[in-house]
Coordinates of all heavy atoms in Angstrom, one line a residue:
M30 N -4.7 7.2 14.4 CA -3.4 7.4 13.8 C -2.9 8.8 14.1 O -2.7 9.6 13.3 CB -3.5 7.3 12.3 CG -2.4 6.5 11.6 SD -2.8 6.1 9.9 CE -1.2 5.6 9.4
P31 N -2.6 9.0 15.4 CA -2.3 10.4 15.9 C -1.0 10.9 15.4 O -0.8 12.1 15.4 CB -2.4 10.2 17.5 CG -2.1 8.7 17.6 CD -2.6 8.0 16.5
D32 N -0.1 10.1 15.0 CA 1.2 10.6 14.7 C 1.5 10.7 13.2 O 2.5 11.1 12.8 CB 2.3 9.6 15.2 CG 2.3 9.5 16.8 OD1 2.0 10.6 17.4 OD2 2.5 8.4 17.4
C33 N 0.4 10.5 12.5 CA 0.5 10.6 11.0 C -0.2 11.9 10.6 O -1.3 12.1 10.9 CB -0.1 9.5 10.3 SG -0.1 9.6 8.5
T34 N 0.6 12.7 9.8 CA 0.1 14.0 9.3 C -0.4 13.9 7.8 O -0.6 14.9 7.1 CB 1.0 15.0 9.4 OG1 2.3 14.6 8.7 CG2 1.5 15.3 10.9
H35 N -0.5 12.7 7.3 CA -0.8 12.5 5.9 C -2.1 11.9 5.5 O -2.4 11.5 4.4 CB 0.3 11.6 5.2 CG 1.7 11.9 5.6 ND1 2.3 11.4 6.6 CD2 2.4 12.9 4.9 CE1 3.6 12.0 6.6 NE2 3.7 12.9 5.7
L36 N -3.1 11.9 6.5 CA -4.3 11.2 6.3 C -5.1 12.0 5.2 O -6.0 11.4 4.5 CB -5.1 11.2 7.6 CG -4.5 10.3 8.7 CD1 -5.4 10.4 10.0 CD2 -4.4 8.9 8.2
D37 N -4.8 13.3 5.0 CA -5.6 14.0 4.0 C -5.1 13.7 2.6 O -5.7 14.2 1.6 CB -5.4 15.5 4.2 CG -3.9 16.0 4.2 OD1 -3.0 15.1 4.2 OD2 -3.7 17.2 4.0
Q38 N -4.1 12.8 2.5 CA -3.7 12.4 1.1 C -4.3 11.1 0.7 O -4.0 10.6 -0.4 CB -2.2 12.2 1.1 CG -1.4 13.5 1.4 CD 0.1 13.5 1.1 OE1 0.5 12.8 0.2 NE2 0.8 14.2 1.9
I39 N -5.1 10.5 1.5 CA -5.9 9.3 1.2 C -6.9 9.6 0.1 O -7.8 10.5 0.4 CB -6.4 8.7 2.5 CG1 -5.3 8.1 3.3 CG2 -7.4 7.4 2.0 CD1 -5.8 7.5 4.7
R40 N -6.9 9.0 -1.0 CA -7.8 9.2 -2.1 C -8.6 7.9 -2.3 O -9.8 8.0 -2.7 CB -7.1 9.6 -3.3 CG -6.4 10.9 -3.2 CD -7.2 12.1 -3.4 NE -6.4 13.3 -3.3 CZ -6.2 13.9 -2.2 NH1 -6.6 13.5 -1.0 NH2 -5.4 15.0 -2.2
V41 N -7.9 6.8 -2.2 CA -8.6 5.5 -2.6 C -8.5 4.5 -1.4 O -7.4 4.3 -0.8 CB -7.7 4.9 -3.8 CG1 -8.5 3.7 -4.3 CG2 -7.5 5.9 -4.9
T42 N -9.5 4.0 -1.0 CA -9.5 3.0 0.1 C -10.1 1.7 -0.4 O -9.7 0.6 0.3 CB -10.2 3.5 1.3 OG1 -11.6 3.8 1.0 CG2 -9.6 4.7 1.9
S43 N -10.9 1.6 -1.3 CA -11.5 0.4 -1.7 C -10.6 -0.3 -2.8 O -10.0 0.3 -3.7 CB -12.9 0.5 -2.4 OG -12.9 1.6 -3.3
L44 N -10.4 -1.6 -2.5 CA -9.5 -2.4 -3.4 C -10.1 -2.6 -4.8 O -11.3 -2.8 -4.9 CB -9.2 -3.7 -2.7 CG -8.5 -3.6 -1.4 CD1 -8.5 -5.0 -0.7 CD2 -7.1 -3.1 -1.6
P45 N -9.3 -2.7 -5.9 CA -9.8 -3.1 -7.1 C -10.2 -4.6 -7.1 O -9.8 -5.3 -6.2 CB -8.5 -2.9 -8.1 CG -7.4 -3.0 -7.1 CD -7.8 -2.5 -5.8
E46 N -11.0 -4.9 -8.1 CA -11.5 -6.3 -8.1 C -11.5 -6.8 -9.6 O -12.2 -6.1 -10.4 CB -12.9 -6.4 -7.5 CG -13.5 -7.7 -7.5 CD -12.9 -8.6 -6.4 OE1 -12.5 -8.0 -5.3 OE2 -12.6 -9.8 -6.7
P47 N -10.8 -7.8 -10.0 CA -9.9 -8.5 -9.1 C -8.5 -7.8 -9.0 O -8.2 -6.9 -9.8 CB -9.7 -9.8 -9.9 CG -9.8 -9.4 -11.3 CD -10.9 -8.3 -11.3
I48 N -7.7 -8.3 -8.1 CA -6.3 -7.8 -8.0 C -5.4 -8.9 -8.7 O -5.4 -10.0 -8.3 CB -5.9 -7.6 -6.6 CG1 -6.7 -6.6 -5.9 CG2 -4.4 -7.3 -6.5 CD1 -6.6 -6.4 -4.4
D49 N -4.7 -8.5 -9.7 CA -3.9 -9.4 -10.5 C -2.6 -9.7 -9.7 O -2.0 -10.8 -9.9 CB -3.6 -8.8 -11.9 CG -4.8 -8.8 -12.7 OD1 -5.7 -9.6 -12.5 OD2 -4.9 -7.9 -13.6
G50 N -2.1 -8.7 -9.0 CA -0.8 -8.9 -8.3 C -0.1 -7.6 -8.3 O -0.7 -6.5 -8.7
C51 N 1.2 -7.6 -7.8 CA 2.0 -6.4 -7.9 C 2.2 -6.1 -9.3 O 2.8 -6.9 -10.1 CB 3.3 -6.7 -7.2 SG 4.5 -5.3 -7.3
E52 N 1.9 -4.8 -9.7 CA 2.0 -4.4 -11.1 C 3.5 -4.5 -11.6 O 3.7 -4.9 -12.7 CB 1.4 -2.9 -11.2 CG 0.0 -2.8 -10.9 CD -0.5 -1.4 -10.8 OE1 0.2 -0.5 -11.3 OE2 -1.6 -1.2 -10.4
E53 N 4.3 -4.1 -10.7 CA 5.7 -4.0 -11.1 C 6.3 -5.4 -11.2 O 7.1 -5.7 -12.1 CB 6.5 -3.1 -10.1 CG 5.9 -1.8 -9.8 CD 6.7 -0.7 -10.6 OE1 7.7 -1.1 -11.3 OE2 6.2 0.4 -10.6
C54 N 6.0 -6.3 -10.3 CA 6.4 -7.7 -10.3 C 6.0 -8.4 -11.6 O 6.6 -9.2 -12.2 CB 6.1 -8.4 -9.1 SG 7.1 -7.9 -7.6
L55 N 4.7 -8.2 -11.9 CA 4.2 -8.8 -13.1 C 4.8 -8.3 -14.3 O 5.1 -9.1 -15.3 CB 2.6 -8.4 -13.2 CG 1.8 -9.1 -12.2 CD1 0.3 -8.6 -12.2 CD2 1.6 -10.6 -12.5
A56 N 5.3 -7.0 -14.4 CA 6.0 -6.5 -15.5 C 7.4 -7.1 -15.7 O 7.9 -7.2 -16.8 CB 6.0 -5.0 -15.4
I57 N 8.0 -7.5 -14.6 CA 9.4 -8.0 -14.7 C 9.4 -9.5 -14.4 O 10.5 -10.1 -14.4 CB 10.3 -7.3 -13.8 CG1 9.9 -7.4 -12.3 CG2 10.4 -5.8 -14.0 CD1 10.8 -6.8 -11.3
G58 N 8.3 -10.1 -14.2 CA 8.2 -11.6 -14.1 C 8.8 -12.0 -12.7 O 9.3 -13.1 -12.5
S59 N 8.7 -11.1 -11.7 CA 9.1 -11.4 -10.4 C 7.9 -11.9 -9.5 O 6.8 -12.0 -10.0 CB 9.8 -10.2 -9.7 OG 10.4 -10.6 -8.5
R60 N 8.3 -12.2 -8.3 CA 7.2 -12.7 -7.4 C 7.1 -11.7 -6.2 O 8.0 -10.9 -5.9 CB 7.5 -14.1 -6.9 CG 7.7 -15.0 -8.1 CD 8.2 -16.4 -7.5 NE 7.1 -16.9 -6.7 CZ 6.6 -18.2 -6.8 NH1 7.2 -18.9 -7.7 NH2 5.7 -18.7 -6.0
W61 N 6.0 -11.9 -5.3 CA 5.8 -11.1 -4.2 C 5.3 -11.9 -3.1 O 4.8 -13.1 -3.3 CB 4.8 -10.0 -4.5 CG 3.5 -10.5 -5.1 CD1 2.4 -10.9 -4.3 CD2 3.2 -10.8 -6.3 NE1 1.4 -11.3 -5.1 CE2 1.8 -11.3 -6.4 CE3 3.8 -10.6 -7.7 CZ2 1.2 -11.6 -7.6 CZ3 3.2 -11.0 -8.9 CH2 1.9 -11.5 -8.8
V62 N 5.3 -11.4 -1.9 CA 4.8 -12.1 -0.7 C 3.4 -11.7 -0.4 O 2.4 -12.4 -0.3 CB 5.8 -11.9 0.5 CG1 5.2 -12.7 1.7 CG2 7.1 -12.5 0.1
H63 N 3.3 -10.4 0.0 CA 2.0 -9.8 0.2 C 1.8 -8.6 -0.6 O 2.7 -7.9 -1.0 CB 1.9 -9.4 1.7 CG 2.0 -10.6 2.6 ND1 1.0 -11.6 2.7 CD2 2.9 -10.9 3.5 CE1 1.4 -12.5 3.6 NE2 2.5 -12.1 4.1
L64 N 0.5 -8.1 -0.8 CA 0.3 -6.9 -1.6 C -0.3 -5.8 -0.8 O -0.9 -5.9 0.2 CB -0.8 -7.3 -2.6 CG -0.4 -8.4 -3.7 CD1 -1.6 -8.7 -4.5 CD2 0.8 -7.9 -4.5
R65 N 0.1 -4.7 -1.3 CA -0.3 -3.3 -0.6 C -0.9 -2.5 -1.7 O -0.5 -2.6 -2.8 CB 0.9 -2.6 0.0 CG 1.7 -3.5 1.0 CD 1.0 -3.7 2.3 NE 1.8 -4.6 3.1 CZ 1.4 -5.9 3.4 NH1 0.3 -6.4 3.0 NH2 2.1 -6.5 4.3
M66 N -1.8 -1.6 -1.4 CA -2.4 -0.7 -2.3 C -2.1 0.8 -1.8 O -2.3 1.2 -0.7 CB -3.8 -0.9 -2.5 CG -4.4 0.1 -3.6 SD -6.2 0.1 -3.7 CE -6.6 1.1 -2.2
C67 N -1.5 1.6 -2.7 CA -1.3 3.0 -2.5 C -2.7 3.7 -2.3 O -3.5 3.6 -3.2 CB -0.5 3.6 -3.6 SG -0.3 5.4 -3.4
T68 N -2.8 4.4 -1.2 CA -4.2 5.1 -1.0 C -4.2 6.4 -1.7 O -5.2 7.1 -1.7 CB -4.4 5.2 0.5 OG1 -3.4 6.0 1.1 CG2 -4.6 3.8 1.1
S69 N -3.1 6.8 -2.3 CA -3.1 8.1 -3.0 C -3.5 7.9 -4.5 O -4.3 8.7 -5.1 CB -1.7 8.7 -3.0 OG -1.4 9.1 -1.7
C70 N -3.1 6.8 -5.1 CA -3.4 6.6 -6.6 C -3.9 5.2 -6.8 O -4.2 4.9 -8.0 CB -2.0 6.8 -7.4 SG -0.7 5.6 -7.1
G71 N -3.9 4.3 -5.9 CA -4.6 3.0 -6.1 C -3.5 2.0 -6.7 O -4.0 0.9 -7.0
K72 N -2.3 2.3 -6.8 CA -1.4 1.4 -7.4 C -1.1 0.2 -6.4 O -1.0 0.3 -5.2 CB 0.0 2.1 -7.6 CG 1.1 1.2 -8.2 CD 2.4 2.0 -8.2 CE 3.6 1.2 -8.8 NZ 3.4 1.0 -10.3
I73 N -1.1 -1.0 -7.0 CA -0.8 -2.2 -6.3 C 0.7 -2.5 -6.2 O 1.3 -2.6 -7.3 CB -1.6 -3.4 -6.8 CG1 -3.1 -3.2 -6.8 CG2 -1.3 -4.7 -6.1 CD1 -3.8 -3.1 -5.5
G74 N 1.2 -2.7 -5.1 CA 2.6 -3.0 -5.0 C 2.9 -4.1 -3.9 O 1.9 -4.5 -3.3
C75 N 4.1 -4.5 -3.8 CA 4.4 -5.7 -2.9 C 5.0 -5.2 -1.6 O 5.6 -4.1 -1.6 CB 5.3 -6.7 -3.6 SG 6.7 -6.1 -4.4
C76 N 4.9 -6.0 -0.6 CA 5.3 -5.5 0.8 C 6.8 -5.6 1.0 O 7.5 -6.1 0.1 CB 4.6 -6.4 1.8 SG 5.3 -8.2 1.8
D77 N 7.2 -5.2 2.1 CA 8.6 -5.2 2.4 C 9.2 -6.6 2.7 O 10.4 -6.7 2.9 CB 8.9 -4.3 3.6 CG 8.9 -2.8 3.2 OD1 8.8 -2.5 2.1 OD2 9.0 -2.0 4.1
S78 N 8.4 -7.6 2.7 CA 8.8 -9.0 2.8 C 9.1 -9.6 1.5 O 9.6 -10.6 1.3 CB 7.8 -9.9 3.6 OG 7.7 -9.4 4.9
S79 N 8.7 -8.9 0.5 CA 8.9 -9.3 -0.9 C 10.2 -8.9 -1.4 O 10.8 -7.9 -1.0 CB 7.8 -8.7 -1.8 OG 6.5 -9.0 -1.3
P80 N 10.8 -9.5 -2.4 CA 12.3 -9.2 -2.9 C 12.3 -7.8 -3.4 O 13.3 -7.1 -3.2 CB 12.5 -10.3 -4.0 CG 11.5 -11.4 -3.8 CD 10.3 -10.8 -3.1
N81 N 11.3 -7.2 -4.0 CA 11.5 -6.0 -4.7 C 10.8 -4.8 -3.9 O 11.2 -3.6 -4.3 CB 10.8 -6.0 -6.1 CG 11.6 -7.1 -7.0 OD1 12.7 -6.9 -7.2 ND2 10.9 -8.1 -7.3
R82 N 10.0 -5.1 -2.9 CA 9.5 -4.0 -2.1 C 8.9 -2.9 -2.9 O 9.2 -1.7 -2.6 CB 10.5 -3.5 -1.1 CG 11.1 -4.6 -0.2 CD 12.2 -4.0 0.7 NE 12.7 -5.1 1.6 CZ 13.5 -4.9 2.6 NH1 13.8 -3.7 2.9 NH2 13.9 -5.9 3.3
H83 N 8.1 -3.2 -3.8 CA 7.6 -2.1 -4.7 C 6.7 -1.1 -4.0 O 6.6 0.0 -4.5 CB 6.9 -2.8 -5.9 CG 7.8 -3.3 -7.0 ND1 7.7 -4.7 -7.4 CD2 8.9 -2.8 -7.5 CE1 8.7 -4.9 -8.3 NE2 9.4 -3.8 -8.4
A84 N 6.0 -1.6 -3.0 CA 5.0 -0.6 -2.4 C 5.8 0.5 -1.6 O 5.5 1.7 -1.8 CB 4.1 -1.4 -1.4
S85 N 6.8 0.1 -0.9 CA 7.5 1.1 -0.2 C 8.4 2.0 -1.2 O 8.6 3.2 -1.0 CB 8.4 0.6 0.9 OG 9.4 -0.3 0.3
R86 N 8.8 1.4 -2.2 CA 9.6 2.1 -3.2 C 8.7 3.2 -3.9 O 9.1 4.3 -4.2 CB 10.2 1.2 -4.4 CG 11.1 1.9 -5.3 CD 11.5 1.0 -6.4 NE 12.3 -0.2 -5.9 CZ 12.7 -1.2 -6.7 NH1 12.5 -1.1 -8.0 NH2 13.3 -2.2 -6.2
H87 N 7.5 2.7 -4.2 CA 6.5 3.7 -4.9 C 6.2 4.8 -3.9 O 6.2 6.0 -4.3 CB 5.3 2.9 -5.2 CG 4.1 3.8 -5.5 ND1 4.0 4.5 -6.8 CD2 3.0 4.2 -4.9 CE1 3.0 5.2 -6.8 NE2 2.3 5.1 -5.8
A88 N 6.0 4.5 -2.6 CA 5.8 5.5 -1.6 C 6.8 6.6 -1.6 O 6.6 7.8 -1.5 CB 5.6 4.9 -0.2
R89 N 8.1 6.1 -1.7 CA 9.3 7.0 -1.6 C 9.4 7.7 -2.9 O 9.6 9.0 -2.9 CB 10.5 6.2 -1.2 CG 11.7 7.0 -1.0 CD 12.9 6.0 -0.5 NE 13.2 5.1 -1.5 CZ 13.1 3.7 -1.3 NH1 12.5 3.3 -0.2 NH2 13.4 2.9 -2.3
D90 N 9.3 7.0 -4.0 CA 9.6 7.7 -5.3 C 8.6 8.6 -5.7 O 8.8 9.7 -6.3 CB 9.8 6.6 -6.4 CG 11.1 5.8 -6.2 OD1 11.9 6.2 -5.3 OD2 11.2 4.9 -7.0
D91 N 7.3 8.3 -5.4 CA 6.2 9.2 -5.9 C 5.7 10.0 -4.8 O 4.7 10.8 -5.1 CB 5.0 8.2 -6.4 CG 5.4 7.7 -7.8 OD1 6.5 7.2 -7.9 OD2 4.6 7.7 -8.8
G92 N 6.1 9.9 -3.6 CA 5.7 10.8 -2.5 C 4.3 10.5 -2.1 O 3.5 11.3 -1.7
H93 N 3.9 9.2 -2.2 CA 2.6 8.8 -1.8 C 2.7 8.0 -0.4 O 3.1 6.9 -0.5 CB 1.9 7.9 -2.8 CG 1.6 8.6 -4.1 ND1 1.2 8.0 -5.2 CD2 1.5 9.9 -4.3 CE1 0.9 8.8 -6.1 NE2 1.2 10.1 -5.7
P94 N 2.5 8.7 0.7 CA 2.9 8.1 2.0 C 2.2 6.9 2.5 O 2.8 6.1 3.2 CB 2.7 9.4 3.0 CG 1.7 10.1 2.3 CD 1.9 10.1 0.8
I95 N 0.9 6.8 2.2 CA 0.1 5.8 2.9 C -0.3 4.7 2.0 O -0.9 5.0 0.9 CB -1.1 6.5 3.6 CG1 -0.7 7.5 4.6 CG2 -2.0 5.4 4.3 CD1 -1.7 8.2 5.3
A96 N -0.1 3.5 2.4 CA -0.7 2.3 1.7 C -1.6 1.5 2.6 O -1.5 1.6 3.8 CB 0.5 1.4 1.2
R97 N -2.5 0.8 2.0 CA -3.3 -0.2 2.8 C -3.0 -1.6 2.4 O -2.4 -1.9 1.3 CB -4.8 0.1 2.7 CG -5.3 -0.1 1.2 CD -6.8 -0.4 1.2 NE -7.1 -1.7 1.8 CZ -8.2 -2.1 2.2 NH1 -9.3 -1.3 2.1 NH2 -8.4 -3.4 2.7
S98 N -3.3 -2.5 3.3 CA -3.2 -3.9 2.8 C -4.1 -4.3 1.8 O -5.3 -3.8 1.8 CB -3.4 -4.8 4.1 OG -3.3 -6.2 3.7
A99 N -3.7 -5.0 0.8 CA -4.5 -5.6 -0.2 C -4.7 -7.1 0.0 O -5.2 -7.7 -1.0 CB -3.9 -5.3 -1.6
E100 N -4.4 -7.6 1.2 CA -4.7 -9.0 1.4 C -6.1 -9.2 1.9 O -6.7 -8.4 2.6 CB -3.7 -9.4 2.5 CG -2.3 -9.3 2.2 CD -1.9 -10.3 1.0 OE1 -2.4 -11.5 1.1 OE2 -1.3 -9.9 0.1
P101 N -6.7 -10.4 1.5 CA -8.1 -10.6 1.9 C -8.2 -10.6 3.5 O -7.5 -11.1 4.2 CB -8.3 -12.1 1.4 CG -7.3 -12.3 0.3 CD -6.1 -11.4 0.7
G102 N -9.2 -9.8 3.9 CA -9.5 -9.8 5.3 C -8.7 -8.8 6.1 O -9.0 -8.6 7.3
E103 N -7.8 -8.1 5.4 CA -6.9 -7.2 6.1 C -7.4 -5.8 5.7 O -7.5 -5.5 4.5 CB -5.5 -7.4 5.8 CG -4.9 -8.7 6.4 CD -3.4 -8.9 6.2 OE1 -2.8 -7.9 5.7 OE2 -2.9 -9.9 6.6
D104 N -7.6 -4.9 6.6 CA -8.0 -3.6 6.2 C -7.2 -2.4 7.0 O -7.7 -1.3 7.2 CB -9.5 -3.4 6.5 CG -9.8 -3.6 8.0 OD1 -8.9 -3.9 8.8 OD2 -11.0 -3.6 8.3
W105 N -6.0 -2.8 7.4 CA -5.2 -1.7 8.0 C -4.4 -0.8 7.0 O -4.3 -1.2 5.8 CB -4.2 -2.3 8.9 CG -3.4 -3.5 8.4 CD1 -3.7 -4.9 8.6 CD2 -2.2 -3.4 7.6 NE1 -2.7 -5.6 7.9 CE2 -1.8 -4.8 7.3 CE3 -1.5 -2.4 7.1 CZ2 -0.7 -5.0 6.5 CZ3 -0.3 -2.7 6.3 CH2 0.0 -4.1 6.0
I106 N -4.1 0.3 7.4 CA -3.3 1.2 6.6 C -1.9 1.5 7.3 O -1.8 1.3 8.5 CB -4.0 2.6 6.3 CG1 -4.3 3.3 7.6 CG2 -5.2 2.4 5.5 CD1 -5.0 4.7 7.4
W107 N -1.0 1.9 6.4 CA 0.4 2.1 7.0 C 1.0 3.4 6.3 O 0.9 3.5 5.1 CB 1.3 0.8 6.7 CG 2.7 1.0 7.0 CD1 3.8 1.3 6.2 CD2 3.2 0.9 8.3 NE1 4.9 1.4 7.0 CE2 4.7 1.2 8.3 CE3 2.7 0.5 9.5 CZ2 5.5 1.0 9.4 CZ3 3.6 0.5 10.7 CH2 5.0 0.7 10.6
C108 N 1.6 4.2 7.2 CA 2.3 5.4 6.6 C 3.8 5.1 6.5 O 4.4 4.9 7.6 CB 2.0 6.6 7.4 SG 2.9 8.0 6.9
Y109 N 4.3 5.2 5.3 CA 5.7 4.8 5.1 C 6.6 6.0 5.7 O 7.8 5.8 5.9 CB 6.0 4.5 3.7 CG 5.5 3.2 3.2 CD1 4.4 3.1 2.4 CD2 6.2 2.1 3.6 CE1 4.0 1.8 2.0 CE2 5.8 0.8 3.2 CZ 4.6 0.7 2.4 OH 4.2 -0.5 1.9
V110 N 6.1 7.2 5.7 CA 6.9 8.3 6.2 C 6.9 8.3 7.7 O 8.0 8.4 8.2 CB 6.2 9.6 5.7 CG1 7.0 10.8 6.3 CG2 6.2 9.6 4.1
D111 N 5.8 8.2 8.3 CA 5.9 8.2 9.8 C 6.1 6.8 10.4 O 6.2 6.7 11.7 CB 4.5 8.7 10.3 CG 4.3 10.2 9.9 OD1 5.2 11.0 10.0 OD2 3.2 10.5 9.4
E112 N 5.9 5.8 9.6 CA 6.1 4.4 10.0 C 5.1 4.1 11.2 O 5.5 3.6 12.3 CB 7.5 4.2 10.5 CG 8.5 4.3 9.3 CD 9.9 3.8 9.6 OE1 10.3 4.1 10.7 OE2 10.4 3.0 8.7
V113 N 3.8 4.5 10.9 CA 2.8 4.1 11.9 C 1.6 3.5 11.1 O 1.4 3.8 10.0 CB 2.2 5.4 12.7 CG1 3.3 5.9 13.6 CG2 1.8 6.4 11.8
G114 N 1.0 2.6 11.8 CA -0.2 1.9 11.2 C -1.4 2.2 11.9 O -1.5 2.7 13.0
S115 N -2.5 1.9 11.3 CA -3.8 2.0 11.8 C -4.8 1.1 11.1 O -4.7 0.7 10.0 CB -4.3 3.5 11.8 OG -5.6 3.6 12.2
A116 N -6.0 0.9 11.8 CA -7.1 0.2 11.1 C -7.8 1.3 10.2 O -7.8 2.4 10.6 CB -8.1 -0.3 12.1
V117 N -8.3 0.8 9.1 CA -9.1 1.7 8.3 C -10.4 2.0 9.1 O -11.0 1.0 9.6 CB -9.5 1.0 6.9 CG1 -10.4 1.9 6.1 CG2 -8.2 0.8 6.1
E118 N -10.8 3.3 9.1 CA -11.9 3.6 9.9 C -13.1 3.0 9.3 O -13.4 2.9 8.1 CB -12.0 5.1 9.9 CG -11.0 5.7 10.8 CD -11.2 7.2 10.9 OE1 -12.4 7.7 10.8 OE2 -10.2 8.0 11.1
A119 N -14.1 2.6 10.2 CA -15.3 1.9 9.8 C -16.1 2.9 8.8 O -16.2 4.1 9.1 CB -16.1 1.6 10.9
G120 N -16.5 2.3 7.7 CA -17.2 3.1 6.8 C -16.4 3.7 5.7 O -17.0 4.1 4.6
A121 N -15.1 3.7 5.9 CA -14.2 4.3 4.9 C -14.1 3.5 3.6 O -13.7 4.0 2.6 CB -12.8 4.5 5.4
E122 N -14.6 2.3 3.6 CA -14.6 1.4 2.5 C -15.7 1.7 1.5 O -15.6 1.3 0.3 CB -14.6 -0.1 2.9 CG -13.5 -0.5 3.8 CD -12.5 -1.4 3.1 OE1 -12.5 -1.4 1.9 OE2 -11.8 -2.1 3.8
A123 N -16.7 2.3 1.9 CA -17.9 2.4 1.1 C -17.6 3.3 -0.2 O -16.8 4.1 -0.1 CB -19.0 3.0 1.9
Ligands
ZN925 ZN1 2.0 9.9 7.8
ZN926 ZN1 6.4 -6.0 -6.6
ZN927 ZN1 0.6 6.0 -5.3

């Protein structure tokens, strides 16, 4: 992830178990398409294909730049500031 300067803000890489869904969507009774997890605080939010885009909104509002996929079998991360993605490095999940 050579173009991202925020890798030092990653605090959480392992997903919670179980994941109930987007926290904000559950609170307002909305729906989501895919789930993302903030790697700064572990908040679960919904992707930009979802109506409310809570993950990117959280990144902007709280200044937490990097989220990872919370979808089964997906382990990539995405920086909302730099708009670059990467695979989670091997071993980072432990
Ligand atoms: Zn970045
Ligand atoms: Zn949501
Ligand atoms: Zn966060």
Side-chain angles (χ1 to χ4, degrees):
M30 218 166 168
D32 297 327
C33 177
T34 57
H35 307 96
L36 296 178
D37 60 345
Q38 298 191 36
I39 295 178
R40 300 276 182 272
V41 188
T42 56
S43 52
L44 297 170
E46 183 72 40
I48 299 172
D49 293 329
C51 173
E52 297 172 12
E53 308 259 355
C54 284
L55 288 169
I57 61 175
S59 186
R60 302 177 64 128
W61 57 88
V62 179
H63 297 297
L64 295 175
R65 308 288 178 247
M66 184 189 77
C67 174
T68 59
S69 296
C70 69
K72 182 184 177 73
I73 300 292
C75 51
C76 71
D77 282 355
S78 298
S79 305
N81 297 297
R82 303 183 178 186
H83 284 127
S85 59
R86 186 185 303 177
H87 170 74
R89 189 171 60 245
D90 289 353
D91 287 45
H93 293 169
I95 299 178
R97 62 156 290 165
S98 175
E100 295 296 313
E103 294 186 2
D104 59 2
W105 47 264
I106 58 176
W107 175 261
C108 178
Y109 286 105
V110 177
D111 297 312
E112 299 191 317
V113 292
S115 170
V117 175
E118 289 184 28
E122 299 253 19

